Amino acid sequence: MDAYVAALNSKDIEALSGLATPGNDADAEVADRVGRLGGRQMEVAKMELRHEFGPEFATAHLSLRAQDGTTQEEILGLSRHDGRWYVTMGQNPNPSKTPASTARP
């Protein structure tokens, strides 16, 4: 989470993109996050990590405080690949599963 906040604070799109799940097309979401939250000199005021879907997936509940005193709440999905944690951003352009149909039988 330190790397996530540091990338936002420095508006470092490349660093933030490097935190996205490998293989995901995260460019639009990274640009959105940098646009909304970048450069605010935030620090983590509170963080809670939860493993709700097994050892390879988690959520990070963050309370961030900006230098101007404003706060931001973030809930980030996390996934572990090859022993490293990534922030779930963007979509996988080649999903291995197709979405379920929403049509009535």
Side-chain angles (χ1 to χ4, degrees):
M1 296 297 79
D2 291 335
Y4 174 79
V5 173
L8 288 174
N9 285 339
S10 63
K11 295 185 177 183
D12 189 338
I13 289 174
E14 187 175 325
L16 192 58
S17 293
L19 298 175
T21 305
N24 280 12
D25 180 5
D27 293 347
E29 190 167 346
V30 166
D32 175 67
R33 287 176 191 248
V34 169
R36 284 185 304 110
L37 303 170
R40 295 180 55 200
Q41 301 312 308
M42 295 183 292
E43 61 182 34
V44 176
K46 182 179 176 185
M47 178 175 60
E48 181 181 341
L49 294 173
R50 297 179 188 169
H51 287 272
E52 297 170 349
F53 303 107
E56 302 301 316
F57 301 97
T59 54
H61 298 253
L62 300 176
S63 293
L64 303 170
R65 185 179 317 111
Q67 190 173 24
D68 65 4
T70 59
T71 60
Q72 175 72 34
E73 301 293 321
E74 290 276 295
I75 299 174
L76 304 173
L78 305 172
S79 59
R80 185 167 35 195
H81 298 275
D82 297 325
R84 181 176 171 205
W85 287 99
Y86 295 92
V87 178
T88 305
M89 293 186 281
Q91 299 292 321
N92 186 331
N94 301 309
S96 60
K97 296 181 182 179
T98 57
S101 172
T102 58
R104 292 187 176 261

